[in-house]
Amino acid sequence: MDQKARKILFDTYWPGHGWKLKGRSITTEDYEYALQAGLKFRSEFLSHNEVVARVIQFRNAVQVEAVTRAFLASLTSRRLNLRSALGSYATARHFPLHSPSSRSEMEFGTCVICGLYFDNTAKIEEDFNVLSFERHKWGGVRHASPLYCAFDLEQFLKEEKLEPTSEDVAIFTEILRIAQNLTPEARIGGLEKEIGKILKSNQAERQVLLEILGYCGILEDPKQPSYFFNYVHHSKRSVQPNERHYPVCWWRGEYGVNTLALRTYFPEITGN
């Protein structure tokens, strides 16, 4: 990765230890440099239907084995941009082609199916640069957003991939073991703290990693709708106060690991 371009991207939004709320403009020279390096992007005007089409296009172009192997390879390399793709693929796996046609299909101005702005044809200017920053900084934070899914998977298709090592596999296996052996009342925050003992990472990275496993259905509450079996409509995602994103916010230690979802995404981990 071009470290100069990465610094330009990060300094735009997170120059030290927190969000840069004002003065995010950068020099034309820096912008063009990061643009050529593939870390900055020009904004685009997109409609609801155009974003939906992109999600389906890039989801269909990605192979599940590629995103799962990239996820594993990110554990020791901390290539968080590669880790992100599994979360986007998992939420987009059953993403439907749709075009809301009535006001009954909107809620607070957004599509009840996917959460995008409701108007099918009106184009809104989208800034991909903040999505690029979040992707490289934490491994993404908006995997349930169709716009992020499309952007994330498109970039993943362009990037050089890494192969997981035996250490990556061992770390992932240990994460699963920890999840299966916590107390029944343990919450996702407790799991995040425990895996911090074996995974070189910070808290935000671990939170996103567990959210990705939630999107896959590997960590889930079996009583809550799962992205593993169907696309969860935006209007059906119930989030608990002060908890992580849906659906991992509902996970408890008593649920352990969903072995069907694990075998589907990571057959090499279970030996099948």
Side-chain angles (χ1 to χ4, degrees):
M1 184 181 299
D2 188 316
Q3 293 302 313
K4 177 180 176 180
R6 186 178 187 273
K7 186 176 187 305
I8 291 170
L9 176 66
F10 276 45
D11 284 351
T12 305
Y13 299 99
W14 196 278
H17 300 285
W19 282 102
K20 184 179 182 181
L21 301 178
K22 297 181 180 179
R24 288 181 173 177
S25 61
I26 63 175
T27 66
T28 301
E29 180 182 3
D30 281 350
Y31 175 79
E32 290 296 331
Y33 185 92
L35 185 71
Q36 292 301 315
L39 292 183
K40 282 275 193 179
F41 301 86
R42 302 194 193 281
S43 60
E44 295 184 49
F45 286 84
L46 297 171
S47 69
H48 169 284
N49 288 359
E50 287 172 332
V51 176
V52 167
R54 287 191 180 192
V55 174
I56 294 172
Q57 174 190 352
F58 296 122
R59 175 201 66 196
N60 291 345
V62 166
Q63 295 182 333
V64 62
E65 295 85 359
V67 294
T68 56
R69 292 182 72 78
F71 176 89
L72 289 174
S74 76
L75 297 178
T76 54
S77 68
R78 294 181 82 176
R79 285 283 302 278
L80 303 181
N81 54 310
L82 297 181
R83 180 178 301 174
S84 178
L86 177 57
S88 293
Y89 178 85
T91 60
R93 185 169 175 239
H94 300 294
F95 186 81
L97 179 64
H98 64 282
S99 179
S101 58
S102 70
R103 290 291 163 182
S104 65
E105 295 173 304
M106 80 176 266
E107 182 179 51
F108 304 115
T110 60
C111 171
V112 297
I113 295 175
C114 69
L116 284 170
Y117 38 83
F118 177 73
D119 194 312
N120 292 327
T121 58
K123 294 178 182 284
I124 294 179
E125 185 174 12
E126 303 290 1
D127 177 13
F128 296 105
N129 291 312
V130 68
L131 303 184
S132 179
F133 164 72
E134 292 169 354
R135 182 171 179 262
H136 286 273
K137 176 68 174 175
W138 298 296
V141 295
R142 314 187 200 199
H143 297 95
S145 160
L147 184 69
Y148 181 79
C149 282
F151 171 77
D152 187 21
L153 295 177
E154 180 183 13
Q155 299 312 307
F156 178 78
L157 287 166
K158 299 175 182 177
E159 292 172 327
E160 182 180 358
K161 310 303 186 290
L162 296 178
E163 285 298 311
T165 65
S166 58
E167 184 180 359
D168 291 315
V169 173
I171 289 172
F172 186 59
T173 302
E174 182 64 8
I175 289 172
L176 298 174
R177 189 197 66 78
I178 292 171
Q180 290 171 316
N181 288 280
L182 289 182
T183 60
E185 67 276 9
R187 299 194 173 203
I188 202 65
L191 179 55
E192 176 269 310
K193 290 183 176 63
E194 287 299 313
I195 69 172
K197 299 173 183 178
I198 63 163
L199 180 67
K200 186 177 180 180
S201 56
N202 58 45
Q203 182 184 40
E205 292 172 23
R206 294 190 296 274
Q207 288 173 339
V208 171
L209 184 152
L210 295 178
E211 286 171 358
I212 290 172
L213 296 182
Y215 297 132
C216 291
I218 294 170
L219 298 179
E220 66 167 6
D221 177 344
K223 299 185 293 295
Q224 296 293 328
S226 169
Y227 286 99
F228 179 68
F229 292 106
N230 296 287
Y231 181 73
V232 183
H233 288 194
H234 183 263
S235 60
K236 302 297 184 182
R237 303 169 199 163
S238 175
V239 179
Q240 300 190 79
N242 303 315
E243 288 280 3
R244 301 303 303 170
H245 294 171
Y246 183 92
V248 81
C249 61
W250 294 98
W251 182 87
R252 298 293 181 268
E254 63 180 297
Y255 305 132
V257 169
N258 181 330
T259 55
L260 175 59
L262 178 62
R263 286 197 303 268
T264 300
Y265 281 102
F266 297 95
E268 71 276 20
I269 299 298
T270 57
N272 296 328

